[in-house]
Amino acid sequence: MSAETTDAAEPTRGAPGAADPGERRREQRGWYFYDFACSVYSTSVVTVFLGPYLTSVAKAAADADGYVRPLGIPIRAGSLFAYTISASLVVAVILMPIVGAAADRTGRKKPLLAAAAYVGATATAAMFFLDGTRYLLGAFLLIVANAAISVSMVLYNAYLPQISEPEERDAVSSRGWAFGYTSGALVLVLNLILYTGHDSFGLSESDAVRICLASAGVWWGAFTVVPLRRLRDRQVAPGHGAVGSGWGQLMATLRDMRRHPLTLSFLLAYLVYNDGVQTVISQASVYGSEELGLDQTTLITAVLLVQILAVAGALGMGRMARVYGAKRTILASLVVWTLILVAGYFLPAGAPVFFYALAAAIGLVLGGSQALSRSLYSHLVPRGKEAEYFSAYEMSDRGLSWLGPLVFGLAYQLTGSYRDAIISLVIFFVAGSVLLARVPVRRAVAAAGNPVPERI
């Protein structure tokens, strides 16, 4: 892959995809690498290490009743991670529409993407200093990193309709997810070697975890260089001026979205079912360690299994979408998600083989359901408003996914049972399936002014 910079190139207008197929493929390859860069944060930090580790740090700081008291608020140590995820996503809700509007009105997505990526990478690298009873430091860094990756994904996703033609969008989106899961699997193998052999490296278990957390930030920052060199900024459409009030633009965007009620209907469905997906991802390690009594090595290898199978799942579901359409394929995946949660509720404690089986099922539907949701939504976005509309999408993807962790945390707070917490998430997949089934996607694409693919 060439590493030449494209900053000096003349920006092109935001037609769907580049006119030159070779140039379009070059941008697509660069675009894939942001998934390759940042997915390690989602995998190693959020899914594997930080939940159990931050919970242990909070328990070390807890009082005799098992509570920590940030700002004087009593919180069970076991609920801190879930509540912090919720708080980070509230911060993201505030930032994402402002950044999305700024990107569309200036046409300068790359500088904003760089700023968000490196703020998040720096906060993640700083998790090396999380030890002892510093649960407040851990919560703060998680809020910063999680909000930063949410903002960066607004900008990253907004490139999709600009670098791909309508008929290839499912495949391009699926390849991006596959790149991300590939990097997640690779780094998890390295994490597993370091964590299981920490004694031979002269490290304590805590030192090994902190190095794994920090290395995700270094990886994120290093590989972000590739998309920043390959992606191009586009000229803004006529009538777009300089950036004004962020909140004023947010209100204007929301008013504009009212003119596309079918796009809003899809977003509502996605908000609901993706809330369940994100919560399962972020709380799976806590459930495995605290409720099922599984050790960290088992959790790492289970998530590694998810990463490996998610590559095949993303590509396989992308092919299924060519035959059955993206909507039907997503609906089928939501049925599988519901069955996964029911099976998870009945998993016996201390039985890794059943946990691995559940991880395999998650891997097969995880990447595909996310990739196809992104590509399906890209057809529903009016041309020239990609970043603004993808800020709303990212609010559904991450920024409004605070409700699932909140429900999970409250269920545990009230019952003291992670099994009750995990089964409470079924409602998100059932309700999301019903809402998605009611969206006439072909009519929604046409209403957004876009060409309707043969299969959708």
Side-chain angles (χ1 to χ4, degrees):
M1 179 179 297
S2 171
E4 74 273 7
T5 181
T6 56
D7 282 344
E10 180 68 22
T12 57
R13 294 198 181 276
D20 175 25
E23 181 182 336
R24 188 169 70 246
R25 285 193 295 271
R26 185 165 55 250
E27 274 200 280
Q28 289 170 1
R29 289 193 294 268
W31 184 80
Y32 299 149
F33 265 90
Y34 189 68
D35 246 326
F36 191 85
C38 71
S39 291
V40 171
Y41 165 81
S42 300
T43 302
S44 291
V45 177
V46 177
T47 305
V48 177
F49 287 107
L50 190 57
Y53 186 67
L54 182 57
T55 300
S56 69
V57 171
K59 286 182 175 180
D63 59 23
D65 296 321
Y67 286 84
V68 290
R69 301 179 185 275
L71 304 178
I73 303 171
I75 295 176
R76 276 186 187 266
S79 292
L80 177 71
F81 179 67
Y83 288 158
T84 304
I85 291 287
S86 290
S88 72
L89 298 176
V90 171
V91 173
V93 167
I94 298 172
L95 296 177
M96 288 189 297
I98 300 173
V99 174
D104 280 336
R105 301 195 74 174
T106 64
R108 303 290 290 172
K109 294 185 182 70
K110 275 209 303 187
L112 294 169
L113 175 61
Y118 284 109
V119 166
T122 301
T124 304
M127 291 178 185
F128 177 79
F129 301 104
L130 174 59
D131 62 357
T133 59
R134 297 178 179 176
Y135 74 93
L136 285 177
L137 173 64
F140 172 74
L141 293 175
L142 175 57
I143 288 171
V144 172
N146 228 36
I149 197 171
S150 297
V151 170
S152 74
M153 292 303 291
V154 168
L155 303 160
Y156 169 71
N157 287 335
Y159 273 105
L160 179 59
Q162 294 181 329
I163 65 171
S164 59
E165 299 293 347
E167 297 294 343
E168 64 181 349
R169 215 162 284 167
D170 287 344
V172 171
S173 183
S174 296
R175 288 190 200 109
W177 281 107
F179 263 62
Y181 287 119
T182 299
S183 72
L186 174 60
V187 173
L188 267 183
V189 169
L190 300 177
N191 290 160
L192 183 60
I193 294 171
L194 178 64
Y195 180 81
T196 57
H198 61 81
D199 287 334
S200 62
F201 291 107
L203 300 171
S204 67
E205 182 177 343
S206 174
D207 290 338
V209 171
R210 291 186 296 115
I211 290 173
C212 291
L213 292 172
S215 66
V218 175
W219 181 284
W220 184 359
F223 283 99
T224 294
V225 172
V226 179
L228 292 180
R229 294 180 70 86
R230 285 304 185 93
L231 294 172
R232 295 178 298 107
D233 283 325
R234 267 74 174 169
Q235 291 177 347
V236 296
H240 282 64
V243 178
S245 164
W247 286 104
Q249 182 59 49
L250 170 60
M251 297 309 296
T253 301
L254 293 176
R255 284 194 296 270
D256 185 75
M257 291 188 76
R258 291 172 58 187
R259 297 171 48 234
H260 302 281
L262 298 180
T263 301
L264 281 174
S265 296
F266 172 82
L267 270 180
L268 176 60
Y270 180 71
L271 182 156
V272 173
Y273 71 75
N274 186 65
D275 210 341
V277 171
Q278 296 298 324
T279 307
V280 172
I281 293 170
S282 66
Q283 303 304 319
S285 288
V286 174
Y287 182 72
S289 62
E290 298 295 321
E291 183 66 36
L292 303 181
L294 303 176
D295 59 33
Q296 190 72 27
T297 301
T298 299
L299 297 177
I300 296 172
T301 51
V303 174
L304 177 59
L305 180 62
V306 170
Q307 299 301 301
I308 294 171
L309 291 179
V311 175
L315 297 176
M317 288 181 64
R319 293 189 180 95
M320 287 177 62
R322 297 178 196 169
V323 179
Y324 302 105
K327 177 183 172 181
R328 289 182 179 177
T329 306
I330 295 169
L331 286 171
S333 76
L334 297 182
V335 173
V336 177
W337 274 110
T338 303
L339 296 175
I340 286 170
L341 286 179
V342 173
Y345 177 81
F346 292 105
L347 278 186
V353 65
F354 293 107
F355 192 72
Y356 287 141
L358 208 62
I362 289 175
L364 290 174
V365 294
L366 176 59
S369 59
Q370 292 176 316
L372 293 179
S373 295
R374 178 170 65 185
S375 61
L376 178 56
Y377 180 71
S378 72
H379 293 286
L380 311 182
V381 176
R383 192 173 304 172
K385 299 183 178 180
E386 292 85 3
E388 290 183 37
Y389 273 62
F390 267 105
S391 71
Y393 176 86
E394 195 64 22
M395 287 171 67
S396 299
D397 187 7
R398 297 176 189 270
L400 291 184
S401 291
W402 54 268
L403 184 58
L406 181 62
V407 168
F408 186 93
L410 285 174
Y412 177 75
Q413 176 115 354
L414 294 174
T415 67
S417 168
Y418 282 107
R419 292 185 186 274
D420 292 339
I422 202 72
I423 200 66
S424 69
L425 303 178
V426 166
I427 186 63
F428 291 98
F429 294 102
V430 174
S433 297
V434 172
L435 292 170
L436 178 60
R438 295 170 60 87
V439 178
V441 291
R442 300 185 70 84
R443 188 148 51 93
V445 175
N450 295 320
V452 181
E454 181 180 349
R455 290 284 183 186
I456 193 169

